[in-house]
Amino acid sequence: MELRGVLLLAVLHCCSVALCGCEPRLVNVGAVLSQKRYEQVFKEAVSQANALYGKDKFKMNAISVTHKPNAIQMALSVCEDLISNQVYAILVSHPPQSNDHLTPTPVSYTAGFYRIPVVGLTTRMSIYSDKSIHLSFLRTVPPYSHQAQVWFDLMREFRWNHIILIVSDDHEGRAAQKKLETLLEERETKAEKVLLFSQDTNLTALLLEAKDLEARVIILSASEDEAAAVYKAARQLNMTGSGYVWLVGEREMSGKALSEAPDGLLALQLINGKNESAHITDAVAVVAQSLQELFEKENITEPPRGCVGNTNIWRTGPLFKRVLMSSKYPDGLTGRIEFNDDGDRRFATYSILNHQKAGRVVQVGVFNGTQVVMNPQRKIIWPGGETEKPVGYQMSTRLKIVTIHQEPFVYVKPTKSDGMCKEEHTVNGVLIKKVICTGPNGTIPGQPIVPQCCYGFCIDLLIKLAMSMNFTYEVHLVADGKFGTQERVNNSNKKEWNGMMGELLGGLADMIVAPLTINNERAQYIEFSKPFKYQGLTILVKKEIPRSTLDSFMQPFQSTLWLLVGLSVHVVAVMLYLLDRFSPFGRFKVNSEEEEEDALTLSSAMWFSWGVLLNSGIGEGAPRSFSARILGMVWAGFAMIIVASYTANLAAFLVLDRPEERITGINDPRLRNPSDKFIYATVKQSSVDIYFRRQVELSTMYRHMEKHNYESAAEAIQAVRDNKLHAFIWDSAVLEFEASQKCDLVTTGELFFRSGFGIGMRKDSPWKQNVSLAILSSHENGFMEDLDKTWVRYQECDSRSNAPATLTFENMAGVFMLVAGGIVAGIFLIFIEIAYKRHKDARRKQMQLAFAAVNVWRKNLQDRKSGRAEPESQTSFRSITSTSDLKRRMAPGDATPYPTDITGQLNLSDPSVSTVV
């Protein structure tokens, strides 16, 4: 008996185990439905899904409730009726009436806390795409903001490029704006204007602002009541008639808005968007398909049971949500079902509706999830009863022109006290045409926006275009002072244009009239006219003006040559003296009675040699011998060559001197191999900056320039003049003009990166063809040539540089200093000569006294010998004190004095004198 009982227990255990292995897992799926009648639809959908999915692994069980009167009751019902039954997912529909307290928000918050996936059925508010709020929410319908994709495709279908976006200033409106702007950015365009409004906005003033724009395609995103108010205000302003296009979504074409909608309006309607039964069936199928995939994974935990005292999230919940979002259900009743990263329905299909007369709404096309397909059998009736597609814009004759301060193309000067511009004339006497332009005044702290006077090449061109094309304009200066380049926004990958490019693309300007360089990067976003001036890049440097020194007059010869010339003068002088001294014909007599002349002395030879070299006249002291005269002739030839060579080189150095270029061009080693000793730069975020950034072979130069670039061309040019910058690379037209006006600057090297200046317009501008034709006509009739002569090729420095340079005191100061030195030397030598002469005179007087004493002594001696001594003649030697006394006491027979030398001293070598002594 015991054995039989044990066997029976074993058999029962095996059967129970077998039953457990064969029984499928029970999976509860919850639903919060809008009405009671949809509960049966939900149960039938679950039964159909059980037949198709799960097999023997799981079996779904339907648990449903309906919406409660308020959010608290709804949250309690989710906890007590659904989560307490351990539901794996919750389906939630949108209530029939769009009341805030009946939205699926309580369901999403409560289930999301435990990470239980929530599948929305008819909820289209964009707030549910925010996964920071609705953690576990996904839906089988797209949000209203996804209608922007259909609007965008309609724009492409009908080739509308000018649009005005009017959106309500709430989450729904901003979501639609963001979506459409993202799509437009991919197309490299922007809405001409985005107008936000709220309940307090004056819609009439808002629409008047839109009416002044060129665009005539208006896209509206608003609630029913707001849309009705906009339609009413637009009708009063005649903005619903011919030429206008209104594109709206589903909300703007329902309820109260439908009754105010203008004829010709195009609206969208989500196909099966409000078919709750179809969405319940598709949602259950997606959940069943995802559960099948989920149970193939390991470590699947049970959902939480109830909310009371339970704060733990469902660990498998995030995994189940990812499985749901990655699922694909191609054969749903509502079409192809897939989800994006936000859990929103992809590839939704829309009907394109046309509101016609008498409130008649006609479907004229569909959006099949990827593209717009229009029905050719049904013609669209456009606003005003038109059957032809509107062009979508109206050519405004009042254009907003943006420009930039860049001489000589645009000069900016302050206005007079009365707000008018001062009258000025060109060098040819022609009155300068000036216009008022608003812009930041850099001379006032804070740079306020004030009216200023603009004139120049581009302003004359603008006036010409306005006259020929019949438009008016208002000119303003670019706010940030930049031409325009792309820069990252908040260190993200998104890039936006700044400068004039940014203002044009942002709708702040209709046209750029400035020296804007045409390049590929800009041409991808805007339309350029034909170039109004061709140019390239060049390099501006400061002139190397040679500084004159005191020895400037000696620069024609090197110091070695000067030493050789000086040495040659003295060598020739010595040779002339020797040749004339030792030549047998060196002495001759003019006639036989005259005494013999002396040979050429060394001092005379020296004077002759310097006189021939300096061409100062020789006078006396010329060589007498034939051999010396031959050498003198050769020396004269040498002197002629030396003087002529000196004169020619002096003219080259002082008269025709031109500074050498510091660099030879873009391939100069100083540019290719940058260093801190030679700094060069361009303007930040300009076309030149872009050019160097794009060229791989110039990357080394770009890295050097990037550290030294300036904010504007004017600052860089001034830095070159102040020796803070050695070279500035910029547009040749601007730099050549600056070099012609500022004589201390010069351009160097050949042009490179040849391009042109063009007028910038948006891609969709209706003026682009007419502007190009007008510029071509101006080239043909010579108007551009006249502008070039008046503004760009107006020269100040070149006329002076072509004339011979005038010598200044600085050039010849050394010569004057040499003369002054000669004068000082002469004065110094004359004092030496005077002192020397006085010394010699004193010596001579002493000798004369000695001679007088000897003469008296001799006379007395003779008298004694002859015995005729005279007492009265015995004059004391001390009484002889002067030459006059000496002369009075000389005997009549002593008329001839004793021999003396050239200085008047007694010649002691003479025999007569020596005898006396």
Side-chain angles (χ1 to χ4, degrees):
M1 290 296 293
E2 292 180 358
L3 180 60
R4 189 178 298 175
V6 171
L7 291 173
L8 181 60
L9 289 173
V11 170
L12 290 173
H13 178 72
C14 291
C15 290
S16 64
V17 171
L19 285 172
C20 291
C22 296
E23 283 277 341
R25 177 184 294 188
L26 185 63
V27 175
N28 290 327
V29 178
V32 179
L33 306 174
S34 63
Q35 297 179 19
K36 196 76 173 175
R37 61 190 178 93
Y38 290 117
E39 291 184 354
Q40 185 59 36
V41 176
F42 176 52
K43 292 178 181 179
E44 291 176 359
V46 169
S47 298
Q48 293 175 6
N50 284 333
L52 295 175
Y53 301 98
K55 304 296 182 181
D56 298 328
K57 292 185 178 180
F58 68 91
K59 181 181 179 180
M60 292 191 299
N61 179 43
I63 303 176
S64 61
V65 296
T66 57
H67 279 284
K68 305 303 178 185
N70 58 61
I72 297 176
Q73 291 181 10
M74 188 72 259
L76 290 174
S77 177
V78 170
C79 285
E80 295 172 357
D81 299 328
L82 301 180
I83 297 179
S84 62
N85 288 310
Q86 292 185 295
V87 291
Y88 278 71
I90 299 176
L91 280 58
V92 57
S93 66
H94 202 75
Q97 299 298 325
S98 180
N99 297 324
D100 290 340
H101 63 280
L102 293 179
T103 61
T105 302
V107 181
S108 174
Y109 281 174
T110 306
F113 178 81
Y114 296 101
R115 304 301 189 270
I116 299 173
V118 178
V119 182
L121 301 178
T122 54
T123 303
R124 300 189 60 190
M125 303 304 290
S126 299
I127 189 66
Y128 293 98
S129 300
D130 189 348
K131 290 298 164 275
S132 64
I133 301 175
H134 301 278
L135 302 176
S136 302
F137 195 91
L138 62 157
R139 49 187 163 182
T140 59
V141 291
Y144 287 121
S145 60
H146 280 203
Q147 294 174 135
Q149 178 67 60
V150 189
W151 294 334
F152 179 73
D153 285 357
L154 283 171
M155 290 173 55
R156 292 195 300 182
E157 175 72 19
F158 295 110
R159 298 181 181 178
W160 292 324
N161 297 313
H162 297 70
I163 67 164
I164 301 171
L165 184 59
I166 303 177
V167 297
S168 57
D169 192 11
D170 53 20
H171 188 278
E172 202 63 44
R174 288 190 294 270
Q177 174 191 351
K178 181 179 179 181
K179 179 69 175 178
L180 185 58
E181 287 181 338
T182 301
L183 294 169
L184 291 173
E185 187 176 348
E186 294 175 358
R187 195 181 175 185
E188 299 175 354
T189 185
K190 282 187 176 182
E192 185 173 351
K193 192 74 174 180
V194 177
L195 299 174
L196 296 172
F197 70 95
S198 60
Q199 293 180 350
D200 301 329
T201 302
N202 186 338
L203 293 178
T204 301
L206 184 80
L207 292 174
L208 280 174
E209 185 178 354
K211 192 174 183 179
D212 292 336
L213 302 173
E214 289 184 358
R216 288 295 179 264
V217 178
I218 300 174
I219 298 177
L220 176 63
S221 174
S223 65
E224 293 179 13
D225 294 340
E226 291 169 336
V230 170
Y231 295 150
K232 188 175 181 179
R235 188 177 292 107
Q236 293 174 352
L237 295 173
N238 296 322
M239 294 179 65
T240 59
S242 297
Y244 283 91
V245 177
W246 287 82
L247 294 181
V248 299
E250 190 165 338
R251 294 186 304 160
E252 300 82 7
M253 190 64 174
S254 59
K256 186 178 179 180
L258 180 60
S259 62
E260 296 287 348
D263 295 339
L265 174 145
L266 288 183
L268 306 178
Q269 187 177 62
L270 181 65
I271 298 175
N272 292 317
K274 296 180 180 180
N275 189 347
E276 188 170 340
S277 298
H279 282 285
I280 290 172
T281 302
D282 288 348
V284 170
V286 170
V287 171
Q289 180 180 293
S290 300
L291 284 171
Q292 182 174 331
E293 183 179 348
L294 178 68
F295 286 132
E296 292 177 357
K297 303 180 183 296
E298 298 180 355
N299 300 323
I300 304 302
T301 61
E302 293 291 329
R305 185 186 297 273
C307 302
V308 179
N310 185 6
T311 58
N312 297 323
I313 66 172
W314 182 25
R315 288 183 295 173
T316 306
L319 173 62
F320 188 26
K321 180 199 168 187
R322 290 195 298 271
V323 174
L324 281 167
M325 292 179 61
S326 64
S327 63
K328 296 179 181 180
Y329 188 61
D331 302 321
L333 296 179
T334 58
R336 176 182 175 186
I337 299 177
E338 291 185 21
F339 302 97
N340 62 14
D341 293 338
D342 294 325
D344 297 326
R345 171 81 171 266
R346 298 175 63 196
F347 307 113
T349 56
Y350 292 86
S351 294
I352 301 174
L353 306 177
N354 180 214
H355 186 266
Q356 300 180 0
K357 289 185 178 181
R360 184 164 166 258
V361 179
V362 179
Q363 181 178 343
V364 293
V366 296
F367 178 77
N368 60 13
T370 56
Q371 63 181 356
V372 169
V373 180
M374 302 305 295
N375 187 347
Q377 304 300 324
R378 297 180 180 177
K379 288 188 176 181
I380 302 174
I381 304 300
W382 300 100
E386 301 287 340
T387 56
E388 293 293 329
K389 176 184 73 71
V391 294
Y393 63 86
Q394 181 183 22
M395 291 182 66
S396 173
T397 58
R398 182 70 176 177
L399 301 183
K400 293 174 291 185
I401 308 297
V402 62
T403 188
I404 191 171
H405 182 196
Q406 180 71 83
E407 299 177 3
F409 295 94
V410 179
Y411 290 86
V412 179
K413 302 293 183 183
T415 59
K416 296 189 296 184
S417 57
D418 59 356
M420 302 300 291
C421 295
K422 179 182 177 181
E423 287 190 1
E424 294 184 79
H425 295 80
T426 65
V427 290
N428 300 324
V430 179
L431 180 65
I432 296 176
K433 300 174 183 178
K434 298 183 179 181
V435 300
I436 297 295
C437 55
T438 58
N441 190 340
T443 62
I444 303 177
Q447 297 189 354
I449 305 298
V450 296
Q452 301 179 77
C453 294
C454 290
Y455 62 95
F457 185 107
C458 289
I459 301 302
D460 284 358
L461 176 59
L462 172 62
I463 296 172
K464 175 70 173 179
L465 292 175
M467 293 177 59
S468 62
M469 297 170 59
N470 194 25
F471 67 82
T472 59
Y473 52 83
E474 55 184 28
V475 183
H476 70 272
L477 297 169
V478 61
D480 59 6
K482 297 178 181 178
F483 286 86
T485 187
Q486 284 184 307
E487 59 182 3
R488 297 186 184 275
V489 180
N490 298 325
N491 295 323
S492 64
N493 292 328
K494 184 181 178 182
K495 292 184 177 181
E496 289 186 356
W497 285 94
N498 57 20
M500 294 187 294
M501 288 285 296
E503 292 195 7
L504 179 67
L505 294 173
L508 299 178
D510 301 312
M511 193 179 293
I512 299 174
V513 182
L516 184 66
T517 302
I518 301 172
N519 59 30
N520 291 333
E521 188 173 27
R522 291 171 177 165
Q524 293 176 7
Y525 291 86
I526 69 171
E527 191 75 27
F528 279 103
S529 68
K530 296 295 182 182
F532 60 80
K533 180 166 182 59
Y534 294 91
Q535 54 95 45
L537 299 184
T538 190
I539 305 169
L540 184 75
V541 297
K542 191 171 184 180
K543 279 185 180 179
E544 286 293 332
I545 301 176
R547 299 201 174 267
S548 299
T549 58
L550 295 179
D551 61 345
S552 295
F553 69 96
M554 300 187 70
Q555 289 180 357
F557 291 165
Q558 290 184 350
S559 56
T560 304
L561 184 57
W562 280 117
L563 291 175
L564 290 175
V565 170
L567 180 63
S568 300
V569 171
H570 295 85
V571 169
V572 169
V574 171
M575 291 303 300
L576 286 173
Y577 169 73
L578 294 177
L579 290 173
D580 204 68
R581 181 75 175 177
F582 294 104
S583 173
F585 301 100
R587 295 170 178 270
F588 64 94
K589 293 185 178 181
V590 178
N591 52 57
S592 56
E593 283 98 12
E594 294 181 359
E595 63 183 32
E596 190 177 277
E597 292 186 0
D598 293 332
L600 184 69
T601 63
L602 182 60
S603 62
S604 299
M606 196 70 68
W607 183 259
F608 174 84
S609 181
W610 278 107
V612 170
L613 180 64
L614 300 179
N615 196 21
S616 60
I618 300 171
E620 297 182 358
R624 271 70 169 177
S625 66
F626 182 73
S627 58
R629 290 187 175 185
I630 290 296
L631 177 58
M633 293 173 60
V634 174
W635 174 247
F638 170 83
M640 180 187 68
I641 295 173
I642 288 295
V643 171
S645 301
Y646 173 80
T647 305
N649 279 289
L650 184 65
F653 271 91
L654 301 182
V655 180
L656 300 177
D657 188 28
R658 293 289 179 270
E660 296 182 359
E661 297 175 349
R662 296 192 64 177
I663 53 180
T664 58
I666 190 62
N667 294 317
D668 191 277
R670 300 190 197 184
L671 300 181
R672 292 291 184 169
N673 304 303
S675 67
D676 293 336
K677 295 181 179 179
F678 190 85
I679 300 174
Y680 54 93
T682 186
V683 175
K684 293 178 181 178
Q685 300 179 348
S686 62
S687 61
V688 184
D689 188 36
I690 295 172
Y691 169 74
F692 278 92
R693 187 195 315 160
R694 293 280 185 256
Q695 301 297 318
V696 178
E697 65 274 15
L698 302 178
S699 59
T700 304
M701 296 178 61
Y702 174 73
R703 287 193 295 271
H704 172 83
M705 296 166 63
E706 192 176 19
K707 299 181 293 184
H708 303 99
N709 285 342
Y710 284 79
E711 293 292 339
S712 66
E715 293 180 11
I717 292 170
Q718 188 59 44
V720 173
R721 302 188 71 186
D722 296 339
N723 292 320
K724 297 177 181 178
L725 186 65
H726 297 100
F728 175 49
I729 303 175
W730 194 239
D731 297 324
S732 60
V734 176
L735 295 188
E736 287 171 0
F737 169 78
E738 292 291 342
S740 69
Q741 303 300 302
K742 301 175 176 64
C743 302
D744 57 341
L745 301 176
V746 64
T747 57
T748 179
E750 296 183 356
L751 297 185
F752 61 98
F753 182 44
R754 295 179 181 271
S755 59
F757 293 147
I759 293 177
M761 296 157 284
R762 285 191 293 272
K763 288 283 189 182
D764 52 12
S765 174
W767 296 97
K768 55 188 179 183
Q769 185 175 1
N770 293 338
V771 170
S772 292
L773 291 175
I775 289 177
L776 290 176
S777 176
S778 298
H779 279 295
E780 291 175 357
N781 60 29
F783 177 74
M784 290 299 179
E785 182 69 17
D786 293 340
L787 287 184
D788 209 43
K789 291 179 180 178
T790 303
W791 296 107
V792 180
R793 288 187 289 179
Y794 162 56
Q795 308 292 332
E796 287 189 358
C797 297
D798 282 1
S799 59
R800 291 181 298 213
S801 63
N802 291 331
T806 303
L807 292 180
T808 63
F809 174 74
E810 290 184 356
N811 301 119
M812 305 303 295
V815 179
F816 286 95
M817 293 299 294
L818 184 63
V819 173
I823 294 173
V824 172
I827 294 173
F828 177 73
L829 290 175
I830 193 63
F831 280 111
I832 294 178
E833 288 181 351
I834 292 173
Y836 182 75
K837 183 67 170 61
R838 288 180 177 177
H839 175 70
K840 290 300 182 182
D841 286 347
R843 289 282 306 275
R844 189 187 57 182
K845 288 180 180 180
Q846 292 178 359
M847 293 302 297
Q848 288 177 348
L849 290 175
F851 169 75
V854 170
N855 195 28
V856 170
W857 175 77
R858 186 181 62 175
K859 184 172 176 49
N860 292 334
L861 183 62
Q862 289 177 354
D863 290 342
R864 287 179 182 176
K865 286 182 179 181
S866 60
R868 292 180 299 152
E870 297 181 4
E872 62 275 9
S873 63
Q874 295 180 0
T875 304
S876 172
F877 178 74
R878 294 184 181 88
S879 65
I880 302 174
T881 59
S882 64
T883 306
S884 58
D885 294 333
L886 179 62
K887 289 181 179 179
R888 286 195 301 268
R889 295 178 182 275
M890 290 179 63
D894 299 330
T896 301
Y898 287 97
T900 60
D901 58 14
I902 192 171
T903 62
Q905 297 180 358
L906 187 65
N907 189 358
L908 299 180
S909 61
D910 191 275
S912 61
V913 177
S914 59
T915 304
V916 174
V917 176

